[in-house]
Amino acid sequence: MSRGINPFIVVLWLMAAALIGGGVSAFLNANLAIGPSSGAMPLPFVIFSLAPYAILGGIIAVICLLLWHATQWQRRRG
C-alpha cells in the first residue's frame, strides 16, 4: 500500500529547521545585537533574546516529530 507524504509533517520539519537555524544565526550575529542604543529597544536585541527559545522550540519539535515517525513505523510493522 503506497501512502503519500503528509504535507503537515513536511511543514513541521521545515519549521523546526528554521527555528534552530534562526536561533543559531542570531547567536552567531550577536555582536550586532549587543550595544548601547537610544530610544526604543532595537530589533536585533529582541531577536537575540528570543534565540534560545527558538532553538529550544525547534529541538522539541524535532523530538516530537521523531516520536511521531517511530509510532508510524511501529504501526506499519505490527
Side-chain angles (χ1 to χ4, degrees), residues 54-66:
I55 294 172
L56 180 64
I59 290 171
I60 290 171
V62 166
I63 291 170
C64 290
L65 284 165
L66 288 174

Side-chain angles (χ1 to χ4, degrees), residues 12 17 28 45:
L12 284 174
L28 292 177
F45 179 76

